[in-house]
PDB file of all heavy atoms in Angstrom:
ATOM      1  N   LYS A1218       0.831  -1.206  -0.001  1.00 90.00           N
ATOM      2  CA  LYS A1218      -0.002  -0.004  -0.002  1.00 90.00           C
ATOM      3  C   LYS A1218       0.859   1.263   0.002  1.00 90.00           C
ATOM      4  O   LYS A1218       0.539   2.248  -0.678  1.00 90.00           O
ATOM      5  CB  LYS A1218      -0.929  -0.005   1.215  1.00 90.00           C
ATOM      6  CG  LYS A1218      -2.057  -1.027   1.104  1.00 90.00           C
ATOM      7  CD  LYS A1218      -2.961  -0.981   2.319  1.00 90.00           C
ATOM      8  CE  LYS A1218      -4.116  -1.982   2.164  1.00 90.00           C
ATOM      9  NZ  LYS A1218      -4.984  -1.986   3.363  1.00 90.00           N
ATOM     10  N   LYS A1219       1.977   1.212   0.734  1.00 92.00           N
ATOM     11  CA  LYS A1219       2.854   2.369   0.794  1.00 92.00           C
ATOM     12  C   LYS A1219       3.479   2.657  -0.567  1.00 92.00           C
ATOM     13  O   LYS A1219       3.561   3.817  -1.008  1.00 92.00           O
ATOM     14  CB  LYS A1219       3.940   2.152   1.851  1.00 92.00           C
ATOM     15  CG  LYS A1219       4.740   3.416   2.137  1.00 92.00           C
ATOM     16  CD  LYS A1219       5.641   3.226   3.351  1.00 92.00           C
ATOM     17  CE  LYS A1219       6.363   4.524   3.671  1.00 92.00           C
ATOM     18  NZ  LYS A1219       7.231   4.400   4.852  1.00 92.00           N
ATOM     19  N   LEU A1220       3.919   1.583  -1.230  1.00 92.00           N
ATOM     20  CA  LEU A1220       4.477   1.750  -2.579  1.00 92.00           C
ATOM     21  C   LEU A1220       3.423   2.294  -3.533  1.00 92.00           C
ATOM     22  O   LEU A1220       3.689   3.189  -4.334  1.00 92.00           O
ATOM     23  CB  LEU A1220       5.013   0.411  -3.103  1.00 92.00           C
ATOM     24  CG  LEU A1220       6.329  -0.109  -2.512  1.00 92.00           C
ATOM     25  CD1 LEU A1220       6.592  -1.534  -2.984  1.00 92.00           C
ATOM     26  CD2 LEU A1220       7.494   0.794  -2.918  1.00 92.00           C
ATOM     27  N   GLU A1221       2.221   1.741  -3.421  1.00 89.00           N
ATOM     28  CA  GLU A1221       1.135   2.110  -4.331  1.00 89.00           C
ATOM     29  C   GLU A1221       0.784   3.598  -4.207  1.00 89.00           C
ATOM     30  O   GLU A1221       0.523   4.280  -5.201  1.00 89.00           O
ATOM     31  CB  GLU A1221      -0.089   1.245  -4.040  1.00 89.00           C
ATOM     32  CG  GLU A1221      -0.948   1.013  -5.264  1.00 89.00           C
ATOM     33  CD  GLU A1221      -2.032  -0.019  -4.979  1.00 89.00           C
ATOM     34  OE1 GLU A1221      -2.464  -0.132  -3.817  1.00 89.00           O
ATOM     35  OE2 GLU A1221      -2.435  -0.686  -5.925  1.00 89.00           O
ATOM     36  N   THR A1222       0.801   4.090  -2.968  1.00 91.00           N
ATOM     37  CA  THR A1222       0.441   5.499  -2.761  1.00 91.00           C
ATOM     38  C   THR A1222       1.510   6.455  -3.316  1.00 91.00           C
ATOM     39  O   THR A1222       1.210   7.603  -3.625  1.00 91.00           O
ATOM     40  CB  THR A1222       0.244   5.805  -1.258  1.00 91.00           C
ATOM     41  OG1 THR A1222       1.441   5.457  -0.550  1.00 91.00           O
ATOM     42  CG2 THR A1222      -0.923   5.023  -0.693  1.00 91.00           C
ATOM     43  N   GLN A1223       2.734   5.956  -3.436  1.00 92.00           N
ATOM     44  CA  GLN A1223       3.828   6.807  -3.944  1.00 92.00           C
ATOM     45  C   GLN A1223       3.918   6.806  -5.462  1.00 92.00           C
ATOM     46  O   GLN A1223       4.637   7.621  -6.035  1.00 92.00           O
ATOM     47  CB  GLN A1223       5.164   6.337  -3.359  1.00 92.00           C
ATOM     48  CG  GLN A1223       5.276   6.534  -1.851  1.00 92.00           C
ATOM     49  CD  GLN A1223       6.615   6.045  -1.330  1.00 92.00           C
ATOM     50  OE1 GLN A1223       7.655   6.654  -1.582  1.00 92.00           O
ATOM     51  NE2 GLN A1223       6.600   4.929  -0.628  1.00 92.00           N
ATOM     52  N   LEU A1224       3.193   5.885  -6.081  1.00 90.00           N
ATOM     53  CA  LEU A1224       3.258   5.794  -7.545  1.00 90.00           C
ATOM     54  C   LEU A1224       2.359   6.824  -8.191  1.00 90.00           C
ATOM     55  O   LEU A1224       1.232   7.062  -7.746  1.00 90.00           O
ATOM     56  CB  LEU A1224       2.845   4.384  -8.010  1.00 90.00           C
ATOM     57  CG  LEU A1224       3.723   3.220  -7.549  1.00 90.00           C
ATOM     58  CD1 LEU A1224       3.185   1.916  -8.098  1.00 90.00           C
ATOM     59  CD2 LEU A1224       5.167   3.422  -7.998  1.00 90.00           C
ATOM     60  N   SER A1225       2.871   7.425  -9.254  1.00 83.00           N
ATOM     61  CA  SER A1225       2.025   8.336 -10.031  1.00 83.00           C
ATOM     62  C   SER A1225       1.054   7.500 -10.847  1.00 83.00           C
ATOM     63  O   SER A1225       1.319   6.337 -11.143  1.00 83.00           O
ATOM     64  CB  SER A1225       2.879   9.207 -10.951  1.00 83.00           C
ATOM     65  OG  SER A1225       3.640   8.394 -11.813  1.00 83.00           O
ATOM     66  N   LYS A1226      -0.072   8.103 -11.219  1.00 71.00           N
ATOM     67  CA  LYS A1226      -1.054   7.352 -11.999  1.00 71.00           C
ATOM     68  C   LYS A1226      -0.487   7.044 -13.373  1.00 71.00           C
ATOM     69  O   LYS A1226       0.154   7.897 -13.985  1.00 71.00           O
ATOM     70  CB  LYS A1226      -2.350   8.159 -12.147  1.00 71.00           C
ATOM     71  CG  LYS A1226      -3.124   8.276 -10.839  1.00 71.00           C
ATOM     72  CD  LYS A1226      -4.443   9.005 -11.056  1.00 71.00           C
ATOM     73  CE  LYS A1226      -5.224   9.088  -9.738  1.00 71.00           C
ATOM     74  NZ  LYS A1226      -6.505   9.807  -9.923  1.00 71.00           N
ATOM     75  N   PRO A1227      -0.726   5.825 -13.867  1.00 61.00           N
ATOM     76  CA  PRO A1227      -0.237   5.483 -15.212  1.00 61.00           C
ATOM     77  C   PRO A1227      -0.809   6.452 -16.236  1.00 61.00           C
ATOM     78  O   PRO A1227      -1.971   6.834 -16.149  1.00 61.00           O
ATOM     79  CB  PRO A1227      -0.777   4.066 -15.450  1.00 61.00           C
ATOM     80  CG  PRO A1227      -1.087   3.533 -14.102  1.00 61.00           C
ATOM     81  CD  PRO A1227      -1.454   4.711 -13.260  1.00 61.00           C
ATOM     82  N   GLN A1228       0.044   6.855 -17.164  1.00 54.00           N
ATOM     83  CA  GLN A1228      -0.420   7.769 -18.201  1.00 54.00           C
ATOM     84  C   GLN A1228      -1.472   7.103 -19.067  1.00 54.00           C
ATOM     85  O   GLN A1228      -1.276   6.000 -19.545  1.00 54.00           O
ATOM     86  CB  GLN A1228       0.762   8.202 -19.087  1.00 54.00           C
ATOM     87  CG  GLN A1228       1.767   9.025 -18.317  1.00 54.00           C
ATOM     88  CD  GLN A1228       2.933   9.408 -19.201  1.00 54.00           C
ATOM     89  OE1 GLN A1228       3.040   8.978 -20.331  1.00 54.00           O
ATOM     90  NE2 GLN A1228       3.812  10.236 -18.665  1.00 54.00           N
ATOM     91  N   ARG A1229      -2.569   7.790 -19.221  1.00 48.00           N
ATOM     92  CA  ARG A1229      -3.666   7.230 -20.017  1.00 48.00           C
ATOM     93  C   ARG A1229      -3.900   8.054 -21.278  1.00 48.00           C
ATOM     94  O   ARG A1229      -4.981   8.090 -21.817  1.00 48.00           O
ATOM     95  CB  ARG A1229      -4.938   7.167 -19.194  1.00 48.00           C
ATOM     96  CG  ARG A1229      -4.786   6.267 -17.965  1.00 48.00           C
ATOM     97  CD  ARG A1229      -6.109   6.054 -17.289  1.00 48.00           C
ATOM     98  NE  ARG A1229      -5.975   5.172 -16.159  1.00 48.00           N
ATOM     99  CZ  ARG A1229      -6.020   3.860 -16.214  1.00 48.00           C
ATOM    100  NH1 ARG A1229      -6.171   3.274 -17.394  1.00 48.00           N
ATOM    101  NH2 ARG A1229      -5.902   3.105 -15.165  1.00 48.00           N
ATOM    102  N   THR A1230      -2.857   8.734 -21.677  1.00 41.00           N
ATOM    103  CA  THR A1230      -3.015   9.600 -22.853  1.00 41.00           C
ATOM    104  C   THR A1230      -3.117   8.795 -24.133  1.00 41.00           C
ATOM    105  O   THR A1230      -3.603   9.274 -25.122  1.00 41.00           O
ATOM    106  CB  THR A1230      -1.823  10.550 -22.976  1.00 41.00           C
ATOM    107  OG1 THR A1230      -0.621   9.760 -22.992  1.00 41.00           O
ATOM    108  CG2 THR A1230      -1.769  11.498 -21.817  1.00 41.00           C
ATOM    109  N   SER A1231      -2.635   7.538 -24.077  1.00 43.00           N
ATOM    110  CA  SER A1231      -2.544   6.788 -25.328  1.00 43.00           C
ATOM    111  C   SER A1231      -3.892   6.593 -26.001  1.00 43.00           C
ATOM    112  O   SER A1231      -4.045   6.831 -27.178  1.00 43.00           O
ATOM    113  CB  SER A1231      -1.892   5.434 -25.086  1.00 43.00           C
ATOM    114  OG  SER A1231      -2.622   4.714 -24.124  1.00 43.00           O
ATOM    115  N   SER A1232      -4.908   6.164 -25.212  1.00 40.00           N
ATOM    116  CA  SER A1232      -6.192   5.906 -25.843  1.00 40.00           C
ATOM    117  C   SER A1232      -6.857   7.194 -26.310  1.00 40.00           C
ATOM    118  O   SER A1232      -7.433   7.257 -27.384  1.00 40.00           O
ATOM    119  CB  SER A1232      -7.117   5.177 -24.863  1.00 40.00           C
ATOM    120  OG  SER A1232      -7.299   5.943 -23.692  1.00 40.00           O
ATOM    121  N   ALA A1233      -6.751   8.268 -25.469  1.00 41.00           N
ATOM    122  CA  ALA A1233      -7.352   9.534 -25.874  1.00 41.00           C
ATOM    123  C   ALA A1233      -6.649  10.087 -27.098  1.00 41.00           C
ATOM    124  O   ALA A1233      -7.265  10.560 -28.038  1.00 41.00           O
ATOM    125  CB  ALA A1233      -7.260  10.528 -24.715  1.00 41.00           C
ATOM    126  N   LYS A1234      -5.297  10.003 -27.055  1.00 44.00           N
ATOM    127  CA  LYS A1234      -4.534  10.503 -28.192  1.00 44.00           C
ATOM    128  C   LYS A1234      -4.833   9.693 -29.444  1.00 44.00           C
ATOM    129  O   LYS A1234      -4.961  10.218 -30.530  1.00 44.00           O
ATOM    130  CB  LYS A1234      -3.033  10.422 -27.860  1.00 44.00           C
ATOM    131  CG  LYS A1234      -2.157  11.180 -28.830  1.00 44.00           C
ATOM    132  CD  LYS A1234      -0.697  11.051 -28.449  1.00 44.00           C
ATOM    133  CE  LYS A1234      -0.314  11.975 -27.338  1.00 44.00           C
ATOM    134  NZ  LYS A1234       1.134  11.958 -27.065  1.00 44.00           N
ATOM    135  N   GLN A1235      -4.968   8.367 -29.224  1.00 42.00           N
ATOM    136  CA  GLN A1235      -5.268   7.488 -30.360  1.00 42.00           C
ATOM    137  C   GLN A1235      -6.600   7.860 -30.979  1.00 42.00           C
ATOM    138  O   GLN A1235      -6.735   7.934 -32.194  1.00 42.00           O
ATOM    139  CB  GLN A1235      -5.311   6.031 -29.861  1.00 42.00           C
ATOM    140  CG  GLN A1235      -5.485   4.995 -30.948  1.00 42.00           C
ATOM    141  CD  GLN A1235      -4.219   4.828 -31.743  1.00 42.00           C
ATOM    142  OE1 GLN A1235      -3.166   5.262 -31.315  1.00 42.00           O
ATOM    143  NE2 GLN A1235      -4.332   4.236 -32.905  1.00 42.00           N
ATOM    144  N   SER A1236      -7.602   8.100 -30.123  1.00 38.00           N
ATOM    145  CA  SER A1236      -8.922   8.451 -30.634  1.00 38.00           C
ATOM    146  C   SER A1236      -8.867   9.766 -31.398  1.00 38.00           C
ATOM    147  O   SER A1236      -9.442   9.917 -32.469  1.00 38.00           O
ATOM    148  CB  SER A1236      -9.916   8.589 -29.485  1.00 38.00           C
ATOM    149  OG  SER A1236     -10.013   7.376 -28.789  1.00 38.00           O
ATOM    150  N   SER A1237      -8.123  10.732 -30.821  1.00 41.00           N
ATOM    151  CA  SER A1237      -7.991  12.025 -31.467  1.00 41.00           C
ATOM    152  C   SER A1237      -7.343  11.897 -32.838  1.00 41.00           C
ATOM    153  O   SER A1237      -7.787  12.477 -33.820  1.00 41.00           O
ATOM    154  CB  SER A1237      -7.163  12.951 -30.576  1.00 41.00           C
ATOM    155  OG  SER A1237      -6.835  14.125 -31.247  1.00 41.00           O
ATOM    156  N   LEU A1238      -6.265  11.081 -32.889  1.00 37.00           N
ATOM    157  CA  LEU A1238      -5.572  10.902 -34.160  1.00 37.00           C
ATOM    158  C   LEU A1238      -6.445  10.190 -35.164  1.00 37.00           C
ATOM    159  O   LEU A1238      -6.433  10.490 -36.355  1.00 37.00           O
ATOM    160  CB  LEU A1238      -4.277  10.112 -33.926  1.00 37.00           C
ATOM    161  CG  LEU A1238      -3.177  10.907 -33.254  1.00 37.00           C
ATOM    162  CD1 LEU A1238      -2.158   9.976 -32.647  1.00 37.00           C
ATOM    163  CD2 LEU A1238      -2.517  11.848 -34.245  1.00 37.00           C
ATOM    164  N   SER A1239      -7.194   9.193 -34.676  1.00 36.00           N
ATOM    165  CA  SER A1239      -8.064   8.452 -35.590  1.00 36.00           C
ATOM    166  C   SER A1239      -9.121   9.372 -36.195  1.00 36.00           C
ATOM    167  O   SER A1239      -9.454   9.270 -37.362  1.00 36.00           O
ATOM    168  CB  SER A1239      -8.737   7.304 -34.853  1.00 36.00           C
ATOM    169  OG  SER A1239      -7.782   6.396 -34.386  1.00 36.00           O
ATOM    170  N   LEU A1240      -9.619  10.286 -35.339  1.00 33.00           N
ATOM    171  CA  LEU A1240     -10.635  11.222 -35.836  1.00 33.00           C
ATOM    172  C   LEU A1240     -10.048  12.180 -36.858  1.00 33.00           C
ATOM    173  O   LEU A1240     -10.670  12.524 -37.847  1.00 33.00           O
ATOM    174  CB  LEU A1240     -11.240  12.003 -34.660  1.00 33.00           C
ATOM    175  CG  LEU A1240     -12.173  11.208 -33.757  1.00 33.00           C
ATOM    176  CD1 LEU A1240     -12.488  12.002 -32.508  1.00 33.00           C
ATOM    177  CD2 LEU A1240     -13.441  10.826 -34.492  1.00 33.00           C
ATOM    178  N   LYS A1241      -8.783  12.588 -36.605  1.00 39.00           N
ATOM    179  CA  LYS A1241      -8.140  13.475 -37.570  1.00 39.00           C
ATOM    180  C   LYS A1241      -7.889  12.754 -38.873  1.00 39.00           C
ATOM    181  O   LYS A1241      -8.064  13.318 -39.945  1.00 39.00           O
ATOM    182  CB  LYS A1241      -6.788  13.947 -37.021  1.00 39.00           C
ATOM    183  CG  LYS A1241      -6.892  15.109 -36.075  1.00 39.00           C
ATOM    184  CD  LYS A1241      -5.489  15.531 -35.681  1.00 39.00           C
ATOM    185  CE  LYS A1241      -5.528  16.569 -34.588  1.00 39.00           C
ATOM    186  NZ  LYS A1241      -4.188  16.894 -34.114  1.00 39.00           N
ATOM    187  N   ALA A1242      -7.433  11.484 -38.732  1.00 34.00           N
ATOM    188  CA  ALA A1242      -7.073  10.741 -39.942  1.00 34.00           C
ATOM    189  C   ALA A1242      -8.289  10.452 -40.792  1.00 34.00           C
ATOM    190  O   ALA A1242      -8.234  10.501 -42.003  1.00 34.00           O
ATOM    191  CB  ALA A1242      -6.390   9.427 -39.557  1.00 34.00           C
ATOM    192  N   ALA A1243      -9.396  10.104 -40.139  1.00 30.00           N
ATOM    193  CA  ALA A1243     -10.610   9.900 -40.919  1.00 30.00           C
ATOM    194  C   ALA A1243     -11.017  11.265 -41.435  1.00 30.00           C
ATOM    195  O   ALA A1243     -11.046  12.228 -40.711  1.00 30.00           O
ATOM    196  CB  ALA A1243     -11.694   9.346 -40.020  1.00 30.00           C
ATOM    197  N   ASN A1244     -11.307  11.362 -42.707  1.00 32.00           N
ATOM    198  CA  ASN A1244     -11.649  12.638 -43.330  1.00 32.00           C
ATOM    199  C   ASN A1244     -12.776  13.312 -42.554  1.00 32.00           C
ATOM    200  O   ASN A1244     -13.684  12.651 -42.069  1.00 32.00           O
ATOM    201  CB  ASN A1244     -12.084  12.363 -44.774  1.00 32.00           C
ATOM    202  CG  ASN A1244     -12.177  13.612 -45.585  1.00 32.00           C
ATOM    203  OD1 ASN A1244     -12.956  14.503 -45.275  1.00 32.00           O
ATOM    204  ND2 ASN A1244     -11.381  13.670 -46.634  1.00 32.00           N
ATOM    205  N   THR A1245     -12.686  14.631 -42.444  1.00 35.00           N
ATOM    206  CA  THR A1245     -13.692  15.354 -41.665  1.00 35.00           C
ATOM    207  C   THR A1245     -15.094  15.168 -42.240  1.00 35.00           C
ATOM    208  O   THR A1245     -16.080  15.315 -41.545  1.00 35.00           O
ATOM    209  CB  THR A1245     -13.363  16.859 -41.622  1.00 35.00           C
ATOM    210  OG1 THR A1245     -13.146  17.308 -42.951  1.00 35.00           O
ATOM    211  CG2 THR A1245     -12.129  17.121 -40.793  1.00 35.00           C
ATOM    212  N   SER A1246     -15.165  14.852 -43.525  1.00 34.00           N
ATOM    213  CA  SER A1246     -16.469  14.603 -44.140  1.00 34.00           C
ATOM    214  C   SER A1246     -16.774  13.113 -44.233  1.00 34.00           C
ATOM    215  O   SER A1246     -17.566  12.684 -45.064  1.00 34.00           O
ATOM    216  CB  SER A1246     -16.525  15.214 -45.539  1.00 34.00           C
ATOM    217  OG  SER A1246     -15.506  14.686 -46.356  1.00 34.00           O
ATOM    218  N   GLU A1247     -16.132  12.332 -43.392  1.00 36.00           N
ATOM    219  CA  GLU A1247     -16.280  10.874 -43.398  1.00 36.00           C
ATOM    220  C   GLU A1247     -17.741  10.453 -43.273  1.00 36.00           C
ATOM    221  O   GLU A1247     -18.136   9.455 -43.884  1.00 36.00           O
ATOM    222  CB  GLU A1247     -15.439  10.301 -42.232  1.00 36.00           C
ATOM    223  CG  GLU A1247     -15.578   8.820 -42.012  1.00 36.00           C
ATOM    224  CD  GLU A1247     -14.559   8.018 -42.811  1.00 36.00           C
ATOM    225  OE1 GLU A1247     -13.676   8.625 -43.419  1.00 36.00           O
ATOM    226  OE2 GLU A1247     -14.677   6.808 -42.826  1.00 36.00           O
ATOM    227  N   ASP A1248     -18.478  11.182 -42.445  1.00 44.00           N
ATOM    228  CA  ASP A1248     -19.859  10.793 -42.195  1.00 44.00           C
ATOM    229  C   ASP A1248     -20.812  11.171 -43.321  1.00 44.00           C
ATOM    230  O   ASP A1248     -21.970  10.778 -43.320  1.00 44.00           O
ATOM    231  CB  ASP A1248     -20.361  11.426 -40.876  1.00 44.00           C
ATOM    232  CG  ASP A1248     -19.598  10.905 -39.680  1.00 44.00           C
ATOM    233  OD1 ASP A1248     -19.128   9.756 -39.768  1.00 44.00           O
ATOM    234  OD2 ASP A1248     -19.474  11.626 -38.681  1.00 44.00           O
ATOM    235  N   SER A1249     -20.352  11.981 -44.252  1.00 68.00           N
ATOM    236  CA  SER A1249     -21.230  12.370 -45.350  1.00 68.00           C
ATOM    237  C   SER A1249     -21.503  11.170 -46.244  1.00 68.00           C
ATOM    238  O   SER A1249     -20.671  10.284 -46.394  1.00 68.00           O
ATOM    239  CB  SER A1249     -20.626  13.497 -46.166  1.00 68.00           C
ATOM    240  OG  SER A1249     -19.591  12.995 -46.978  1.00 68.00           O
ATOM    241  N   LEU A1250     -22.692  11.161 -46.828  1.00 73.00           N
ATOM    242  CA  LEU A1250     -23.093  10.055 -47.701  1.00 73.00           C
ATOM    243  C   LEU A1250     -22.133   9.880 -48.863  1.00 73.00           C
ATOM    244  O   LEU A1250     -21.759   8.753 -49.200  1.00 73.00           O
ATOM    245  CB  LEU A1250     -24.513  10.321 -48.259  1.00 73.00           C
ATOM    246  CG  LEU A1250     -25.648   9.537 -47.621  1.00 73.00           C
ATOM    247  CD1 LEU A1250     -25.708   9.770 -46.123  1.00 73.00           C
ATOM    248  CD2 LEU A1250     -26.967   9.930 -48.269  1.00 73.00           C
ATOM    249  N   LEU A1251     -21.732  10.968 -49.468  1.00 81.00           N
ATOM    250  CA  LEU A1251     -20.899  10.888 -50.666  1.00 81.00           C
ATOM    251  C   LEU A1251     -19.536  10.287 -50.353  1.00 81.00           C
ATOM    252  O   LEU A1251     -19.058   9.398 -51.064  1.00 81.00           O
ATOM    253  CB  LEU A1251     -20.732  12.291 -51.249  1.00 81.00           C
ATOM    254  CG  LEU A1251     -20.149  12.379 -52.651  1.00 81.00           C
ATOM    255  CD1 LEU A1251     -20.996  11.616 -53.642  1.00 81.00           C
ATOM    256  CD2 LEU A1251     -20.013  13.830 -53.086  1.00 81.00           C
ATOM    257  N   GLU A1252     -18.919  10.761 -49.280  1.00 83.00           N
ATOM    258  CA  GLU A1252     -17.599  10.267 -48.866  1.00 83.00           C
ATOM    259  C   GLU A1252     -17.659   8.761 -48.618  1.00 83.00           C
ATOM    260  O   GLU A1252     -16.839   7.986 -49.126  1.00 83.00           O
ATOM    261  CB  GLU A1252     -17.151  11.012 -47.603  1.00 83.00           C
ATOM    262  CG  GLU A1252     -15.844  10.506 -47.005  1.00 83.00           C
ATOM    263  CD  GLU A1252     -14.621  11.056 -47.716  1.00 83.00           C
ATOM    264  OE1 GLU A1252     -14.725  12.117 -48.345  1.00 83.00           O
ATOM    265  OE2 GLU A1252     -13.574  10.405 -47.641  1.00 83.00           O
ATOM    266  N   GLU A1253     -18.654   8.361 -47.840  1.00 84.00           N
ATOM    267  CA  GLU A1253     -18.766   6.952 -47.471  1.00 84.00           C
ATOM    268  C   GLU A1253     -19.088   6.078 -48.674  1.00 84.00           C
ATOM    269  O   GLU A1253     -18.535   4.975 -48.840  1.00 84.00           O
ATOM    270  CB  GLU A1253     -19.853   6.795 -46.386  1.00 84.00           C
ATOM    271  CG  GLU A1253     -19.893   5.419 -45.748  1.00 84.00           C
ATOM    272  CD  GLU A1253     -18.609   5.092 -45.012  1.00 84.00           C
ATOM    273  OE1 GLU A1253     -18.024   5.996 -44.390  1.00 84.00           O
ATOM    274  OE2 GLU A1253     -18.178   3.929 -45.094  1.00 84.00           O
ATOM    275  N   ALA A1254     -19.990   6.554 -49.545  1.00 87.00           N
ATOM    276  CA  ALA A1254     -20.421   5.761 -50.698  1.00 87.00           C
ATOM    277  C   ALA A1254     -19.294   5.559 -51.695  1.00 87.00           C
ATOM    278  O   ALA A1254     -19.040   4.427 -52.157  1.00 87.00           O
ATOM    279  CB  ALA A1254     -21.608   6.445 -51.378  1.00 87.00           C
ATOM    280  N   GLU A1255     -18.585   6.631 -52.047  1.00 88.00           N
ATOM    281  CA  GLU A1255     -17.508   6.515 -53.018  1.00 88.00           C
ATOM    282  C   GLU A1255     -16.364   5.672 -52.468  1.00 88.00           C
ATOM    283  O   GLU A1255     -15.755   4.873 -53.185  1.00 88.00           O
ATOM    284  CB  GLU A1255     -17.030   7.919 -53.434  1.00 88.00           C
ATOM    285  CG  GLU A1255     -18.084   8.690 -54.198  1.00 88.00           C
ATOM    286  CD  GLU A1255     -17.556   9.989 -54.809  1.00 88.00           C
ATOM    287  OE1 GLU A1255     -16.355  10.284 -54.661  1.00 88.00           O
ATOM    288  OE2 GLU A1255     -18.351  10.707 -55.439  1.00 88.00           O
ATOM    289  N   LYS A1256     -16.109   5.826 -51.191  1.00 87.00           N
ATOM    290  CA  LYS A1256     -15.056   5.031 -50.562  1.00 87.00           C
ATOM    291  C   LYS A1256     -15.417   3.549 -50.589  1.00 87.00           C
ATOM    292  O   LYS A1256     -14.574   2.693 -50.882  1.00 87.00           O
ATOM    293  CB  LYS A1256     -14.861   5.502 -49.111  1.00 87.00           C
ATOM    294  CG  LYS A1256     -13.717   4.805 -48.395  1.00 87.00           C
ATOM    295  CD  LYS A1256     -13.360   5.494 -47.108  1.00 87.00           C
ATOM    296  CE  LYS A1256     -14.471   5.362 -46.085  1.00 87.00           C
ATOM    297  NZ  LYS A1256     -14.065   5.920 -44.778  1.00 87.00           N
TER     298      LYS A1256
END
């Protein structure tokens, strides 16, 4: 317990950053009918 209290919280930026990057990578008009249909 003493060790655990001294530990900093594990960085959880990876999933948030991953989601952000995935959203950027997917074209901003990804949800439009035309983008999705032609793709």
Side-chain angles (χ1 to χ4, degrees):
K1218 288 181 178 178
K1219 190 170 184 179
L1220 286 171
E1221 210 171 29
T1222 57
Q1223 294 180 71
L1224 297 180
S1225 58
K1226 290 183 179 180
Q1228 294 179 354
R1229 299 189 178 274
T1230 55
S1231 57
S1232 58
K1234 192 180 280 186
Q1235 185 74 15
S1236 300
S1237 171
L1238 286 161
S1239 297
L1240 287 170
K1241 278 183 188 175
N1244 192 299
T1245 51
S1246 59
E1247 174 90 7
D1248 295 332
S1249 75
L1250 256 57
L1251 193 59
E1252 175 81 24
E1253 190 63 38
E1255 293 189 2
K1256 184 167 68 174

